[in-house]
Amino acid sequence: MKINRRMVLAGMGAAALAQTPLRAFAMTSAQIGGYEFISVSDGNLVLPRSFFFEGLPQDALAEALAPFDLPQDQLEPPCNLTLLRNAERVILFDAGAGPAFMPSAGALLDSLDAAGVAPEAVTDVVFTHGHPDHLWGVLDDFDDLVFPNARYHMGQVEWDYWRDPATVDRIGTARAAFAVGAARRLEAIEDRVSQFADGDEVLPGITAQASFGHTPGHMSFLLGTGGDALLIGGDAIGNHHLAFARPGWASGSDQDPELGAKTRQRLLGRLAQEQIWLMGFHLPQGGLGRVERSGEGYRFLGAAQ
């Protein structure tokens, strides 16, 4: 797979250029499985360190994190969405955070514009899962569909979970808003949604891969073959540091930490052994890279390395 990295400047008028700093979007592109692949940014999250590391053994944690230059107060993981396109389709994996979740996120439409993609041109939106930074971007400030011509695709288990009225009471106080927000947005697209199961071909050449744990029905997606195969992993492997260095450790970002750890170990083992490319929603360098074994865990090698 031939990888290209380029910097694209979002379109601005001459008057705006004089007063407003340019916003640059780093994009990774490639050809794979009959599609052009483009990594597009939705900005980043801002999260306290405790979100990732609370409850872990501090001495062992310090050792595991020593190779990484992480801030001591808060982390700012990027949000990388996958865009695939060919002559027939423009496919977006996840919809970003939209305007209502976090000020540092919600930049997807600017990124798409920089890539020359209008929201009306998107034919399909495929969801890895229903968390806000992946789902809430389907609606704009006026609750209109951002991708008005798209067909939407979500795993059956994930759809049923977020559409269940009991979820808001079971998910816990910290995530109750996630359930309310997901239910409202899924209701808005329910007449345009197709559900699928593990192993189904969601769209031509794109196969669903169950990766439960981060959410009850989290899905990843495989396309291509051999050394050019790509796994669009969503949040199944949620960061470039501890998720790789200690994949068996529980993560507070996973709704089922034990299952999430098992899924993470299984995926990383396969990615390293078969040398499948990984596209991670919260991984650095646009999210695209390889996985290799390192000590008792793994490490992420960005495509630019």
Side-chain angles (χ1 to χ4, degrees), residues 99 108-109 119-120 136-141 144-149 152:
L108 176 60
L109 294 184
E120 296 80 10
W136 285 17
V138 298
L139 296 180
D140 63 16
D141 284 321
D144 292 327
L145 292 178
V146 172
F147 307 105
N149 300 319
Y152 299 86

Side-chain angles (χ1 to χ4, degrees), residues 28-248:
T28 301
S29 64
Q31 294 289 331
I32 184 167
Y35 293 97
E36 178 189 14
F37 161 95
I38 302 175
S39 170
V40 291
S41 174
D42 191 44
N44 63 274
L45 303 182
V46 178
L47 299 168
R49 282 176 63 99
S50 60
F51 181 83
F52 297 93
F53 308 135
E54 189 172 43
L56 297 175
Q58 292 304 298
D59 289 345
L61 176 64
E63 180 183 356
L65 295 181
F68 305 96
D69 184 21
L70 298 181
Q72 293 303 308
D73 51 355
Q74 62 187 25
L75 303 185
E76 299 182 1
C79 299
N80 312 297
L81 281 75
T82 299
L83 182 77
L84 298 180
R85 60 184 175 185
N86 60 16
E88 292 79 35
R89 295 182 183 273
V90 177
I91 306 167
L92 191 61
F93 287 81
D94 294 321
F101 181 52
M102 192 174 286
S104 58
L108 176 60
L109 294 184
D110 287 339
S111 295
L112 290 175
D113 182 64
V117 177
E120 296 80 10
V122 174
T123 61
D124 300 271
V125 178
V126 183
F127 296 107
T128 59
H129 65 295
H131 278 167
D133 50 331
H134 298 255
L135 172 62
W136 285 17
V138 298
L139 296 180
D140 63 16
D141 284 321
F142 303 97
D143 281 352
D144 292 327
L145 292 178
V146 172
F147 307 105
N149 300 319
R151 184 76 185 171
Y152 299 86
H153 310 263
M154 180 176 273
Q156 184 73 61
V157 174
E158 189 76 355
W159 173 267
D160 291 344
Y161 175 75
W162 294 110
R163 291 290 282 153
D164 184 350
T167 293
V168 69
D169 297 319
R170 296 172 178 168
I171 198 172
T173 303
R175 290 187 170 105
F178 291 12
V180 174
R184 182 164 70 85
R185 287 161 177 85
L186 294 180
E187 182 179 11
I189 63 173
E190 64 180 341
D191 61 343
R192 298 165 177 250
V193 171
S194 299
Q195 284 93 35
F196 56 85
D198 180 33
D200 287 351
E201 186 177 51
V202 179
L203 290 165
I206 300 169
T207 304
Q209 308 279 299
S211 46
F212 301 168
H214 183 68
T215 60
H218 186 287
M219 285 284 185
S220 301
F221 302 93
L222 187 67
L223 67 151
T225 57
D228 282 341
L230 169 69
L231 183 77
I232 300 168
D235 284 3
I237 303 169
N239 60 68
H240 70 289
H241 39 84
L242 207 58
F244 284 81
R246 301 292 187 273

